[in-house]
Amino acid sequence: MSYLEPAEFVKKMVDSGESKIYMGRRDTIVRAYMAGAILALAVVFAVTITVNTGNPLLGAVLFPVGFCMLYLMKFDLLTGVFMLTPLAWLDKRPGVTIPRVLENWGLVFLGNLAGALTVAVIMSINFTYGFSVPVNEVGQTIAHVGEGRTLGYKEHGFGGWMTLFIRGCLCNWMVSMGVVGAMVSTSATGKIAAMWMPIMVFFYLGFEHSVVNMFLFPLGLILGGSYTLGDYIFWNEIPTVLGNIVGGISLTGLTLYSTHVRTQARREIV
């Protein structure tokens, strides 16, 4: 597996965050576009498996194939840059400023959204033979998921909004661990194994991923889901994005950085 020690791969995390700040805007958007598109296809793959087998665990076990593909290609998800780019700022890398971090987040957001929406349109055509037949079972399942994860939270008011935020935090705790997993080994098999585990956990537990939702909910609307664009934005995307930011930075990025880069001095034991 060619495992790297934490001090080595955490330095790679900081280096990666810095490189994303300096990456050209075109490359940032293209890589984010492809990441959003591939992740969307992985969602369809997992939902199709769940519908055809009646086993959601099997769908969760196989969903990480999309995440592994996109990170092996060095494409970028919003959840990953939420965790990596602030580390370059904390490490005081030259030229890395808060406005540049936010600009990177914005570009990746736009790229992921464009990729997810492209696949949403393509799959809506695929599920309906060009809107000439009723929506198939996989499409109906996706539409109902959108209803449950907007209106279902809305029923609980502020409690539902906070639940979304917490599930967004938990999601990016696991997803950013998957991003780190791509750096803990120098072999492709080692990277895949390390990425696979946390992504499977997040998907099976139903945590909220902002980029997954950029695909699921617009597609659900196209296919006739009983919720509105406003429901999706306020009762899912906003709290999910905020939770993804907090979870990625605090539960993964800061914990690894503080204990493997800015470590405390060794204790003197008498």
Side-chain angles (χ1 to χ4, degrees), residues 55-201:
N55 187 347
L57 177 59
L58 186 58
V61 168
L62 295 175
F63 169 74
V65 66
F67 184 89
C68 292
M69 284 193 295
L70 71 91
Y71 267 101
L72 288 175
M73 296 298 105
K74 300 293 184 182
F75 297 146
D76 283 320
L77 291 173
L78 189 61
T79 41
V81 299
F82 280 160
M83 184 265 296
L84 292 173
T85 52
L87 297 182
W89 176 75
L90 284 172
D91 205 53
K92 297 181 171 57
R93 294 296 176 92
V96 179
T97 63
I98 292 297
R100 286 174 179 163
V101 168
L102 295 177
E103 179 190 18
N104 176 261
W105 290 4
L107 292 172
V108 173
F109 179 92
L110 291 174
N112 285 169
L113 178 62
L117 290 178
T118 299
V119 176
V121 172
I122 291 170
M123 295 312 300
S124 67
I125 296 170
N126 178 61
F127 290 151
T128 62
Y129 283 83
F131 303 101
S132 64
V133 300
V135 180
N136 69 9
E137 189 176 0
V138 174
Q140 290 175 12
T141 300
I142 290 174
H144 290 316
V145 167
E147 292 169 6
R149 287 166 64 173
T150 52
L151 302 181
Y153 289 113
K154 187 177 182 179
E155 290 177 2
H156 299 282
F158 180 72
W161 205 92
M162 285 304 299
T163 300
L164 271 164
F165 173 79
I166 293 299
R167 289 180 179 176
C169 290
L170 294 171
C171 170
N172 211 20
W173 181 13
M174 291 294 96
V175 173
S176 57
M177 285 291 289
V179 175
V180 174
M183 303 179 190
V184 305
S185 173
T186 57
S187 72
T189 52
K191 291 175 184 288
I192 290 169
M195 287 188 282
W196 205 280
M197 296 178 288
I199 303 307
M200 179 175 61
V201 170

Side-chain angles (χ1 to χ4, degrees), residues 6-7 9-11 14 91 255-264:
F9 67 71
V10 176
K11 182 181 181 300
V14 179
D91 205 53
T255 52
L256 288 169
Y257 181 77
S258 63
T259 194
H260 292 300
V261 175
R262 293 190 177 179
T263 55
Q264 284 187 309

